[in-house]
């Protein structure tokens, strides 16, 4: 009996101990699950506030959204159309026939030259450009080259230079052959007036209006070659041949006056008729001369010629782009006034 009683107590004790162990094990398991859940929650909260480095890398690897190229292109086309329409409006304003009280109104004023409404009217389609347009264009080309490169390599005489050659040619036979002295041409060549030595320029241009037609002489001082650029040269009239010979002689006299060590005996210029394309009408000769002054350098670049064979639409576009470019030039002193009067102020890109 006693033995059985002891055994019963031991069994109950074991069961109690087992129950306590199981209870402690369950508590530890529950605590671990709670901690894991808390850690996961904290990690999720942390990633929501600040993405992990792996998340950042995943975002960086995503390709950017493609641009709608068609929409972008359409916007550019719309802007170009508006800008072009404003340029046409400005061009039409500057080239419409001026009223009597508008003829002397200045449209372009810079670098000491001025173009009034009477001058810009000659830049209209089929217009014969005025002396002042040629003079202004030459001055602008030289000043822009000086500002960009610090020097002038393409000197452009004003049309008055060739007016003097023509005037001397029309004098009596004795006076027409009188040799020029420095006083005769100082206004055209003196460094004190120009700021540089003309004979050191690569090319010297002399735009010429003769018998209601514009052409251009170009002297290359280094090679002593005088080129004749004429967009309507087919047969050479006697009067034009006389002018060519007189111009050659006057340029030889200029070289003697300008170049140290040059004398009448050692200066001989070769006259060459440049192969340039013909104009396709009777009124665009002045625009061809403006393009000679701008780009001609004697090099053969366009199908065995030294100038492109322009089409009529291109010549018409030159008229517009040249005039509108001068009006919009930042140095044009009346730029804002003209753009406002034309109704395009703030509308040109």
């Amino acid at each position: 009996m006693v033995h059985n009683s002891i055994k019963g107590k031991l069994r109950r004790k074991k069961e109690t101990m087992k129950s306590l162990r199981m209870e402690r094990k369950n508590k530890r398991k529950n605590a671990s699950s709670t901690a894991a859940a808390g850690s996961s929650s904290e990690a999720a909260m942390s990633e929501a506030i600040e993405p992990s480095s792996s998340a950042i890398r995943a975002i960086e690897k995503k390709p950017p959204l493609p641009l709608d190229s068609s929409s972008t292109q359409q916007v550019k086309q719309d802007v170009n159309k508006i800008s072009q329409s404003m340029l046409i409006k400005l061009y039409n304003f500057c080239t419409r026939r001026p009223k009597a009280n508008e003829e002397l109104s200045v449209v372009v004023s810079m670098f000491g030259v001025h173009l009034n409404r009477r001058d810009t009217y000659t830049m209209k389609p089929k217009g014969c450009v005025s002396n002042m347009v040629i003079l202004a264009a030459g001055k602008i080309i030289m000043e822009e080259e000086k500002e960009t490169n610090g020097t002038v390599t393409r000197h452009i005489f004003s049309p008055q230079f060739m007016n003097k050659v023509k005037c001397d040619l029309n004098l009596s036979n004795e006076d027409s052959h009188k040799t020029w002295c420095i006083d005769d041409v100082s206004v055209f060549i003196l460094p004190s007036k120009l700021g540089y030595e003309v004979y050191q320029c690569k090319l010297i241009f002399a735009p010429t209006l003769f018998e209601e037609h514009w052409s251009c002489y170009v002297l290359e001082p280094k090679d002593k070659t005088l080129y004749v650029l004429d967009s309507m040269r087919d047969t050479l009239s006697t009067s034009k041949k006389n002018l060519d010979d007189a111009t050659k002689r006057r340029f030889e006299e200029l070289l003697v006056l300008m170049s140290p060590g040059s004398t009448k005996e050692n200066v001989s210029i070769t006259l060459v008729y440049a192969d340039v394309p013909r104009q396709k009408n009777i009124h665009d000769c002045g625009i061809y001369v403006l393009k000679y002054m701008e780009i001609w350098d004697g090099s053969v670049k366009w199908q065995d010629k030294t100038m492109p064979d322009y089409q009529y639409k291109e010549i018409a576009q030159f008229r517009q782009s040249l005039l509108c470019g001068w009006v919009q030039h930042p140095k044009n002193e009346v730029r804002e006034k003209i753009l406002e009067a034309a109704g395009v102020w703030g509308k040109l890109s």
Side-chain angles (χ1 to χ4, degrees), residues 270-319:
T270 302
L271 189 67
V272 175
Y273 292 92
D275 186 11
V276 294
R278 278 182 56 85
Q279 65 188 76
K280 297 169 175 59
N281 50 52
I282 62 171
H283 46 254
D284 284 333
C285 52
I287 304 301
Y288 276 82
V289 168
L290 291 175
K291 295 305 290 184
Y292 297 154
M293 290 157 48
E294 182 182 6
I295 67 172
W296 191 90
D297 62 4
S299 303
V300 176
K301 303 175 184 176
W302 298 275
Q303 298 180 344
D304 300 327
K305 294 190 182 297
T306 56
M307 285 293 291
D309 190 6
Y310 297 121
Q311 301 302 308
Y312 177 74
K313 286 185 178 179
E314 292 177 293
I315 294 293
Q317 183 59 42
F318 291 153
R319 289 178 180 270

Side-chain angles (χ1 to χ4, degrees), residues 168 172-179 249-250 253:
D168 290 352
S172 67
N173 189 52
E174 182 180 346
D175 290 336
S176 66
H177 287 84
K178 181 183 176 183
T179 302
R249 187 175 70 254
R250 293 307 189 188
E253 293 170 3

Side-chain angles (χ1 to χ4, degrees), residues 166 208-214 237-240 243:
K166 291 185 295 180
T208 308
L209 181 62
F210 183 69
E211 296 179 346
E212 299 184 350
H213 171 65
W214 282 105
S237 67
T238 301
S239 57
K240 182 61 166 66
L243 178 62

Side-chain angles (χ1 to χ4, degrees), residues 167-193:
C167 181
D168 290 352
L169 185 62
N170 291 331
L171 296 175
S172 67
N173 189 52
E174 182 180 346
D175 290 336
S176 66
H177 287 84
K178 181 183 176 183
T179 302
W180 278 352
C181 66
I182 194 64
D183 291 337
D184 294 319
V185 292
S186 61
V187 67
F188 301 112
I189 65 171
L190 279 186
S192 59
K193 295 182 179 294

Side-chain angles (χ1 to χ4, degrees), residues 19-245:
S19 177
L20 288 172
R21 285 197 298 272
M22 288 296 294
E23 185 177 347
R24 284 197 296 270
K25 186 176 180 181
N26 287 337
K27 283 183 179 180
R28 286 195 300 271
K29 188 175 181 180
N30 290 338
S32 177
S33 298
T34 302
S39 175
S40 176
S41 176
E42 287 175 4
M45 180 68 73
S46 174
E47 190 149 333
I49 295 172
E50 183 176 351
S52 66
S53 59
S54 61
I56 292 173
R57 285 194 298 272
I59 292 172
E60 289 175 345
K61 289 179 181 179
K62 288 183 179 180
L65 291 174
L67 294 173
D68 187 348
S69 58
S70 61
S71 298
T72 304
Q73 189 65 26
Q74 185 60 47
V75 169
K76 288 182 179 179
Q77 290 176 357
D78 291 343
V79 169
N80 289 337
K81 285 180 181 178
I82 294 171
S83 180
Q84 184 59 35
S85 67
M86 291 298 104
L87 284 175
I88 292 172
K89 186 175 181 180
L90 174 61
Y91 175 68
N92 290 339
F93 172 80
C94 294
T95 56
R96 68 171 171 79
R97 183 186 294 274
K99 298 175 183 177
N101 62 344
E102 294 177 329
E103 288 188 347
L104 300 181
S105 298
V106 176
V107 178
V108 176
S109 177
M110 55 182 166
F111 305 127
V113 294
H114 313 283
L115 294 179
N116 57 37
R117 293 295 297 274
R118 190 167 52 193
D119 297 314
T120 59
Y121 176 64
T122 68
M123 288 290 282
K124 67 184 178 68
K126 300 182 180 180
C128 296
V129 300
S130 70
N131 276 27
M132 283 302 300
V133 166
I134 298 291
L135 185 152
K139 185 69 172 176
I140 292 169
I141 290 171
M142 290 187 291
E143 290 293 338
E144 288 186 336
E145 185 185 16
K146 186 191 299 183
E147 189 171 306
T148 302
N149 303 324
T151 185
V152 174
T153 62
R154 302 167 69 89
H155 180 76
I156 304 170
F157 283 133
S158 73
Q160 281 69 28
F161 174 79
M162 284 306 299
N163 286 347
K164 177 168 181 55
V165 175
K166 291 185 295 180
C167 181
D168 290 352
L169 185 62
N170 291 331
L171 296 175
S172 67
N173 189 52
E174 182 180 346
D175 290 336
S176 66
H177 287 84
K178 181 183 176 183
T179 302
W180 278 352
C181 66
I182 194 64
D183 291 337
D184 294 319
V185 292
S186 61
V187 67
F188 301 112
I189 65 171
L190 279 186
S192 59
K193 295 182 179 294
L194 300 174
Y196 55 90
E197 295 279 5
V198 174
Y199 77 94
Q200 291 181 345
C201 294
K202 182 179 179 182
L203 297 170
I204 302 172
F205 292 78
T208 308
L209 181 62
F210 183 69
E211 296 179 346
E212 299 184 350
H213 171 65
W214 282 105
S215 61
C216 191
Y217 295 97
V218 185
L219 176 68
E220 194 169 7
K222 184 177 179 181
D223 295 338
K224 296 183 176 62
T225 303
L226 182 65
Y227 296 92
V228 183
L229 279 56
D230 190 342
S231 59
M232 286 191 74
R233 180 181 174 270
D234 274 337
T235 57
L236 200 62
S237 67
T238 301
S239 57
K240 182 61 166 66
K241 179 66 169 63
N242 291 339
L243 178 62
D244 293 345
D245 292 339

